[in-house]
Amino acid sequence: ATLHGKNVLGMAQTGTGKTASFALPILQKLAKDMFGIFALVITPTRELAMQIKSHFEILAADIPIRVALIT
């Protein structure tokens, strides 16, 4: 569903891959067209935002994208 642009709501315990489940479809679209998409991820805490930023950087190691953290 996410790859087709549909909204998805998911809940699971820590360490189950929730970040990858939304980051990978975003990165896949970016890899195809780096100028046609952007993403904004909003988190309730600074610590979670830093963790998600780190995951995006790791998953996108081969894609020349910019990841920014704004608090």
Side-chain angles (χ1 to χ4, degrees):
T2 308
L3 291 174
H4 299 291
K6 304 290 184 188
N7 292 328
V8 176
L9 175 64
M11 294 174 51
Q13 293 185 351
T14 300
T16 58
K18 293 181 299 292
T19 302
S21 71
F22 69 83
L24 289 173
I26 291 170
L27 294 172
Q28 182 177 0
K29 286 190 178 256
L30 277 171
K32 290 180 184 176
D33 182 8
M34 298 181 70
F35 302 103
I37 184 174
F38 66 91
L40 173 64
V41 179
I42 300 173
T43 68
T45 66
R46 178 182 314 187
E47 291 78 17
L48 181 57
M50 290 187 295
Q51 182 181 7
I52 291 172
K53 178 183 182 287
S54 174
H55 279 97
F56 264 89
E57 291 170 338
I58 291 167
L59 293 170
D62 296 332
I63 305 170
I65 65 166
R66 291 184 300 171
V67 179
L69 174 64
I70 303 170
T71 57

